[in-house]
Amino acid sequence: MRKLVVENKVTLDGIFDKQAEWQMQFWNGPDEMARYSKEHITAFDALLLGRVTYQGLSAVWPAMTDDVGYADWINEIPKHVVSTTLDEDDLEWNAQLIAENVVDEIAALKQQSGADILLVGSGELLQTLMEHRLVDEYRFMVHPVVHGSGTQLFTDESVPAGLELVETETIGSGVVDLTYEPAEEGEGNQ
């Protein structure tokens, strides 16, 4: 069975959008983040995205290049886009639509052969996946800044979930990559 891995860059106050305003200052050199991301994502052969994240990424990445191959990877990898407002004709960036039976479709996607599936951004979709216990691993790249405004990854509506820390790594200028797995039932889960 394929794992579904969530990876998000966040500020200390939990903001995960408007990344252009806060994240790049913490990376040493222009290629450090791309190199780290490339090394980090080679285990994935599919992206799962919500509509907002898909539209944001697809507006930028098709025209991007880099020296480490991250742009090639993100442009070529198959993408599964969850949306009730888009249709197949709206998806041009190597993507297919999941518009109905989202939980069942993603559970079936996890059952297919292949490498793991990566979810980035997509805060509302993440809440649905957590509610149905479909997330196998969480990776948070915590940046040493309090942004003060923006969309928080977890809100008052978030489903309570206990997590177990399984790995930490410091990268960039103080960015800490934290990897968690869902705790066993009864260990912080409600």
Side-chain angles (χ1 to χ4, degrees), residues 12-147:
L12 287 172
D13 54 341
I15 304 300
F16 78 108
D17 68 345
K18 303 179 183 178
Q19 292 181 13
E21 296 176 12
W22 53 263
Q23 75 157 325
M24 289 309 292
Q25 64 184 314
F26 299 105
W27 293 88
N28 301 317
D31 288 332
E32 183 184 40
M33 179 183 281
R35 187 174 297 106
Y36 177 80
S37 296
K38 174 71 174 178
E39 291 171 4
H40 208 58
I41 49 83
T42 54
F44 304 103
D45 67 2
L47 277 178
L48 179 61
L49 305 167
R51 177 191 56 82
V52 172
T53 301
Y54 170 79
Q55 288 178 318
L57 294 175
S58 67
V60 175
W61 278 103
M64 299 286 277
T65 61
D66 62 53
D67 293 335
V68 296
Y70 183 79
D72 291 338
W73 175 84
I74 198 167
N75 285 317
E76 294 170 5
I77 193 167
K79 297 152 195 78
H80 304 273
V81 180
V82 175
S83 175
T84 57
T85 58
L86 296 176
D87 59 43
E88 288 289 344
D89 294 336
D90 296 320
L91 305 178
E92 299 177 358
W93 188 42
N94 194 22
Q96 67 181 51
L97 183 65
I98 300 175
E100 297 177 356
N101 305 315
V102 171
V103 171
D104 293 338
E105 290 292 324
I106 294 172
L109 188 62
K110 289 178 62 173
Q111 295 297 322
Q112 295 175 0
S113 62
D116 293 338
I117 304 160
L118 179 63
L119 172 82
V120 294
S122 310
E124 288 182 38
L125 176 57
L126 173 57
Q127 303 310 312
T128 299
L129 299 174
M130 290 175 65
E131 180 180 346
H132 294 278
R133 301 188 56 81
L134 289 172
V135 178
D136 300 295
E137 186 174 286
Y138 299 82
R139 296 178 184 170
F140 303 113
M141 297 175 76
V142 182
H143 290 64
V145 63
V146 174
H147 193 260

Side-chain angles (χ1 to χ4, degrees), residues 141-163:
M141 297 175 76
V142 182
H143 290 64
V145 63
V146 174
H147 193 260
S149 67
T151 304
Q152 290 188 323
L153 186 57
F154 299 106
T155 66
D156 290 344
E157 290 80 35
S158 293
V159 175
L163 304 176

Side-chain angles (χ1 to χ4, degrees), residues 159-174:
V159 175
L163 304 176
E164 179 181 333
L165 181 65
V166 294
E167 186 177 345
T168 63
E169 180 180 358
T170 301
I171 50 179
S173 298

